[in-house]
Amino acid sequence: MTDQILITGCGTFIPSEVIDNETLVKAYNAHVEEYNREYSAEIAAGDRTALKNSSADFIKNASGIEERHVMEASGIIDPKRLRPNLGDRNPDELSYQAEMGLAAAKNALDQAKKSTSDVGMLISACSNYERPYPSLAIEVQKALGINGFAFDMNVACSSVPFAIRLAYNSLLTQPELPGVLIVSPEFYTGHLNFRDRDSHFIFGDAAGALYLERSETSKSSNAFSVKNIQLQTHFSNNIRNDGGFLRQAVNRTDPWHPRNLFSQQGRAVFREIVPLVSEMILNQLDEEGIRRSSLKRVWLHQANSKMNLLLAKKILEREPSHAELPLVLKNYGNTGAAGVVLAFSESQNLDPGSWGVFCAFGAGYSAGSVLLQKC
Amino acid sequence: MTDQILITGCGTFIPSEVIDNETLVKAYNAHVEEYNREYSAEIAAGDRTALKNSSADFIKNASGIEERHVMEASGIIDPKRLRPNLGDRNPDELSYQAEMGLAAAKNALDQAKKSTSDVGMLISACSNYERPYPSLAIEVQKALGINGFAFDMNVACSSVPFAIRLAYNSLLTQPELPGVLIVSPEFYTGHLNFRDRDSHFIFGDAAGALYLERSETSKSSNAFSVKNIQLQTHFSNNIRNDGGFLRQAVNRTDPWHPRNLFSQQGRAVFREIVPLVSEMILNQLDEEGIRRSSLKRVWLHQANSKMNLLLAKKILEREPSHAELPLVLKNYGNTGAAGVVLAFSESQNLDPGSWGVFCAFGAGYSAGSVLLQKC
């Protein structure tokens, strides 16, 4: 058996609806005005803090984001709602995340020139699931008509490198598996707090998918060999969402309770994640005897343009070019675990033998880095 | 490197509070009376169906369950609440499922005679999570003081055999991993519909844990070698829970909406799962050239005593003895993915060389079977 495991297909799904910063801020500021009006007496008496308006410039400066694609815009930009407003699909209809994952999966299989019979294992790897059971991955498996087995996993924004590790290990030990499909359907606007000035602008919705197989079965003209995988987790509450199945049992029933939605201590995350990730990648290069100067691509989790630039500088020891550090934040925002797949998808044009690092990080803390060589 | 991967440690955690059928039925029937009183006019007019009382005998006959251990009893048996009633722990406290998983994990490491430095990868494998991020597994990892990495996975009641597959593959391909810890903290009463006569009695709370390592590092006097693993998934809506993060977005906000909690079509599940699982296990025995008569143990997902008996009969081609088919349903109920670990934990006294099958199945549909040989 080979020890060459390749990523031979990469696909994405981007929802068609778009919200730019101006529109998002208009909705948020309308909420702020309404709130400050409603509580004006308490605010005047000093018993409550007035909410502060936001601005499109603040968002762009803080994050590099100018717009985001979302599954449903009208509910998010309605100041009275500030949440997606979707039909409740019945169980026989394809669920929202399955629809997202399916579209990305088809594109990944197309790039790999593979059919559904070439998939033996399907992993869904993302930050949150619209239902606990049956597993979302099994619904995507059925929609594609795949035999074999499927399961869901979650290690937040780092989910895809972790899934690559499992796919890699499984392809090396299970000769009966023709290939592994990873889908990452991130519907982040469903668990984002659109009433929170510091985080309401961060995320967009998107899905990514990767197909992995052994080198001897590859028909792809755009394959990358997986050369090294590093994974780390270190517990932190600095990015957290407690909106799980115990909400009622612990009497935290308000859907706007900040603990029922995404929240983060952004400065602490920035300060703690940057050294963790840069050291992980530098150790990985050392382990494989690859010089920093040989790295032609740094595909990163699309967290924040400043953070990504700083990480790339630490890794490359110089300013990266636009080509070396693909950034899709401006138009898509942070798309959770799917973000690194979006960046990878947009920038695969490397010469054979070139090295790149595919790295994601986030809540957990979790971080995973995959060293790739273009075939 | 070896190709012998062993399960050398097994641990469980059983919460101390107990609800017997009589007590559960009393609470349910009080809810029924209140409901029928509240809607008496509509019921009399034929516009609404009266709810039916239940009985302890009905539950015992339907499921074999006489009592279940739960994380919090008083809320469940309060007819006005019919849900656990727990304090909302702050993020710096150990979360409920982490507490459960941690206790089981310590017992598994004790049985394996291992310390936390012997764990390189920690997988949480269960049906539902009290939060999406940070991953529960990372919190257990921190509480144990484990280096390496951790992540959550979910393929409902079959989660543990799927996690065994991932652990097995990883131990064969990652020599740097000393061992893998799997925890399965099932807090099922948090997502059970205690207003539903057909399902309110099914589940209890419990956690299971397994430690896996290569044979050359084993110090356990109670080890089992993993000889064959079969996994299958086939999408079905017959066991489903849509209580995920899109509840608000799809305007399904009532916490008692049946789709926000566990629901199943029990008869269809019974009819469809039995042939799927029995064929999977018989194929597995064929693949390894093991005769049915050589099987000394059938450790099954603790679903339902009739289903488990029927499965064991199909596999063994005869009536199983109590020792051959360990059942813990009577005292614990169905404990989701943890159930097969509870059964395994209670019945490991086999002669060296003896064969057993460790098999779980459930929502998905999903099914996983692990053929074990006592060392």
Side-chain angles (χ1 to χ4, degrees):
Chain A
M1 191 153 51
T2 181
D3 64 349
Q4 284 260 89
I5 304 298
L6 312 183
I7 298 175
T8 56
C10 173
T12 64
F13 164 78
I14 310 288
S16 58
E17 300 193 22
V18 179
I19 304 176
D20 62 22
N21 288 347
E22 288 71 18
T23 309
L24 192 71
V25 161
K26 196 177 154 202
Y28 176 75
N29 286 350
H31 161 69
V32 167
E33 276 166 43
E34 177 58 32
Y35 179 96
N36 290 348
R37 190 162 39 233
E38 186 178 348
Y39 295 108
S40 56
E42 287 179 52
I43 291 166
D47 295 334
R48 187 182 283 261
T49 308
L51 294 185
K52 248 174 82 181
N53 277 327
S54 192
S55 74
D57 279 351
F58 163 71
I59 293 175
K60 195 178 164 186
N61 289 336
S63 65
I65 300 165
E66 296 184 16
E67 59 184 24
R68 68 283 300 143
H69 289 243
V70 300
M71 289 295 284
E72 203 289 316
S74 74
I76 294 172
I77 63 174
D78 172 0
K80 301 278 183 210
R81 183 173 177 98
L82 297 181
R83 285 192 193 258
N85 192 358
L86 296 157
D88 191 10
R89 293 183 177 175
N90 78 55
D92 292 326
E93 292 177 276
L94 201 62
S95 63
Y96 289 101
Q97 283 181 293
E99 176 190 322
M100 299 171 76
L102 178 64
K106 285 178 176 171
N107 291 333
L109 289 174
D110 280 351
Q111 195 192 44
K113 298 176 181 143
K114 294 285 167 171
S115 74
T116 52
S117 62
D118 299 309
V119 183
M121 169 169 157
L122 192 155
I123 307 175
S124 177
C126 70
S127 303
N128 210 341
Y129 288 94
E130 69 180 89
R131 65 165 182 270
Y133 42 83
S135 299
L136 193 94
I138 305 174
E139 193 181 1
V140 178
Q141 175 197 12
K142 184 201 176 191
L144 285 167
I146 289 171
N147 292 318
F149 61 92
F151 62 91
D152 290 349
M153 60 165 287
N154 180 358
V155 58
C157 294
S158 310
S159 294
V160 173
F162 280 64
I164 291 173
R165 172 90 262 175
L166 300 178
Y168 181 94
N169 292 357
S170 298
L171 286 165
L172 286 185
T173 46
Q174 294 186 250
E176 74 278 14
L177 286 182
V180 177
L181 190 57
I182 298 168
V183 299
S184 184
E186 288 283 33
F187 193 155
Y188 241 101
T189 61
H191 47 114
L192 193 51
N193 187 346
F194 285 103
R195 287 187 182 174
D196 177 40
R197 187 177 186 272
D198 289 336
S199 66
H200 75 117
F201 57 84
I202 296 178
F203 292 95
D205 303 323
L210 298 175
Y211 179 79
L212 286 92
E213 62 185 309
R214 297 176 200 90
S215 56
E216 59 263 39
T217 58
S218 171
K219 297 184 282 189
S220 175
S221 50
N222 208 18
F224 289 83
S225 182
V226 176
K227 292 301 189 183
N228 187 296
I229 307 168
Q230 305 275 332
L231 307 177
Q232 287 185 30
T233 50
H234 307 275
F235 189 69
S236 165
N237 286 319
N238 287 336
I239 308 172
R240 185 151 170 150
N241 179 345
D242 284 289
F245 71 88
L246 290 181
R247 291 176 315 277
Q248 302 293 326
V250 301
N251 306 300
R252 197 198 319 113
T253 53
D254 177 4
W256 286 106
H257 193 296
R259 289 189 59 194
N260 285 336
L261 293 161
F262 171 89
S263 73
Q264 76 170 355
Q265 307 302 318
R267 283 164 202 269
V269 171
F270 196 108
R271 193 173 58 238
E272 292 165 9
I273 284 278
V274 167
L276 189 153
V277 169
S278 54
E279 280 165 32
M280 181 176 68
I281 293 174
L282 294 176
N283 286 339
Q284 181 171 47
L285 296 176
D286 272 356
E287 235 177 60
E288 296 295 320
I290 308 293
R291 281 172 305 182
R292 298 158 183 237
S293 57
S294 305
L295 270 191
K296 300 297 180 214
R297 283 290 183 284
V298 186
W299 299 284
L300 294 181
H301 168 52
Q302 301 292 298
N304 172 299
S305 57
K306 286 181 192 158
M307 191 168 176
N308 286 20
L309 263 167
L310 181 59
L311 276 168
K313 274 192 220 172
K314 281 182 178 279
I315 297 157
L316 300 173
E317 279 189 312
R318 58 178 172 76
E319 200 78 30
S321 70
H322 287 300
E324 286 169 326
L325 178 69
L327 286 177
V328 302
L329 275 156
K330 190 177 135 189
N331 299 114
Y332 303 136
N334 181 336
T335 51
V340 63
V341 184
L342 265 55
F344 183 61
S345 166
E346 295 217 347
S347 174
Q348 298 191 310
N349 52 330
L350 287 177
D351 293 331
S354 300
W355 294 90
V357 69
F358 176 106
C359 175
F361 42 85
Y365 294 138
S366 56
S369 181
V370 183
L371 186 66
L372 295 175
Q373 187 172 30
K374 185 77 184 267
C375 296
Chain B
M1 190 153 50
T2 180
D3 64 350
Q4 283 262 91
I5 304 298
L6 312 184
I7 298 175
T8 56
C10 173
T12 64
F13 163 77
I14 309 288
S16 58
E17 299 192 24
V18 179
I19 304 176
D20 62 22
N21 288 347
E22 288 72 18
T23 309
L24 193 71
V25 162
K26 197 178 152 199
Y28 176 75
N29 286 349
H31 160 70
V32 167
E33 276 167 43
E34 178 58 32
Y35 180 95
N36 289 348
R37 191 163 37 234
E38 187 179 347
Y39 296 108
S40 55
E42 286 179 51
I43 291 166
D47 295 333
R48 188 181 282 262
T49 308
L51 294 184
K52 249 174 82 181
N53 276 325
S54 191
S55 75
D57 280 351
F58 162 70
I59 294 175
K60 195 177 164 188
N61 289 337
S63 66
I65 299 165
E66 295 184 15
E67 59 184 24
R68 70 281 301 145
H69 289 243
V70 300
M71 289 296 283
E72 204 289 316
S74 75
I76 295 172
I77 62 174
D78 172 359
K80 300 278 184 210
R81 184 174 175 95
L82 298 182
R83 284 193 194 258
N85 193 356
L86 296 156
D88 191 11
R89 293 183 178 174
N90 77 54
D92 292 326
E93 292 177 277
L94 200 63
S95 64
Y96 289 101
Q97 283 181 293
E99 176 190 323
M100 298 171 77
L102 178 64
K106 285 179 175 170
N107 291 332
L109 289 174
D110 281 351
Q111 196 193 44
K113 297 176 181 144
K114 294 285 167 171
S115 74
T116 53
S117 61
D118 299 309
V119 182
M121 168 168 159
L122 193 155
I123 308 174
S124 178
C126 70
S127 304
N128 210 342
Y129 288 94
E130 69 180 270
R131 66 165 181 268
Y133 41 84
S135 299
L136 193 94
I138 305 174
E139 193 181 2
V140 178
Q141 175 197 12
K142 184 201 176 190
L144 284 167
I146 290 172
N147 292 319
F149 62 93
F151 63 90
D152 291 347
M153 59 165 286
N154 180 358
V155 56
C157 293
S158 310
S159 294
V160 174
F162 280 64
I164 290 174
R165 171 92 261 175
L166 300 177
Y168 180 95
N169 292 357
S170 298
L171 287 165
L172 286 185
T173 47
Q174 294 187 253
E176 73 278 14
L177 286 183
V180 177
L181 190 55
I182 297 168
V183 299
S184 183
E186 288 282 35
F187 194 156
Y188 241 102
T189 61
H191 46 114
L192 193 51
N193 187 346
F194 285 103
R195 287 187 181 174
D196 177 40
R197 188 176 184 272
D198 289 335
S199 66
H200 75 117
F201 58 84
I202 295 179
F203 291 95
D205 302 325
L210 297 175
Y211 179 78
L212 287 92
E213 62 184 309
R214 296 175 202 90
S215 56
E216 58 263 37
T217 58
S218 171
K219 298 184 281 190
S220 174
S221 50
N222 209 17
F224 290 83
S225 181
V226 176
K227 292 301 189 182
N228 186 295
I229 306 168
Q230 305 276 331
L231 307 177
Q232 287 184 31
T233 49
H234 307 275
F235 189 69
S236 164
N237 285 318
N238 287 335
I239 308 171
R240 185 149 171 153
N241 179 345
D242 284 288
F245 71 88
L246 290 182
R247 289 176 315 278
Q248 302 293 327
V250 301
N251 306 300
R252 198 200 316 114
T253 53
D254 176 4
W256 286 106
H257 192 296
R259 288 190 59 193
N260 285 336
L261 293 162
F262 171 89
S263 73
Q264 74 169 357
Q265 308 302 319
R267 283 163 202 267
V269 171
F270 196 109
R271 194 173 57 236
E272 291 165 7
I273 284 279
V274 168
L276 188 155
V277 170
S278 54
E279 279 165 34
M280 180 177 68
I281 294 174
L282 294 176
N283 285 339
Q284 181 171 46
L285 296 175
D286 272 356
E287 233 177 62
E288 295 296 319
I290 308 292
R291 283 170 307 181
R292 298 158 182 236
S293 56
S294 304
L295 271 192
K296 299 298 180 213
R297 283 291 182 285
V298 186
W299 299 283
L300 295 181
H301 168 51
Q302 302 291 297
N304 171 299
S305 56
K306 285 179 192 158
M307 191 168 175
N308 287 20
L309 264 167
L310 181 58
L311 277 168
K313 273 192 221 174
K314 281 182 178 280
I315 297 157
L316 300 173
E317 279 189 311
R318 58 177 172 76
E319 199 78 30
S321 70
H322 287 300
E324 287 170 326
L325 178 70
L327 286 177
V328 303
L329 276 157
K330 191 177 135 189
N331 300 112
Y332 303 135
N334 181 335
T335 50
V340 63
V341 185
L342 266 55
F344 182 62
S345 167
E346 295 218 346
S347 175
Q348 298 192 310
N349 53 329
L350 287 178
D351 293 332
S354 299
W355 294 90
V357 68
F358 176 107
C359 175
F361 42 85
Y365 295 136
S366 57
S369 181
V370 183
L371 185 67
L372 296 174
Q373 186 172 31
K374 185 76 184 265
C375 298

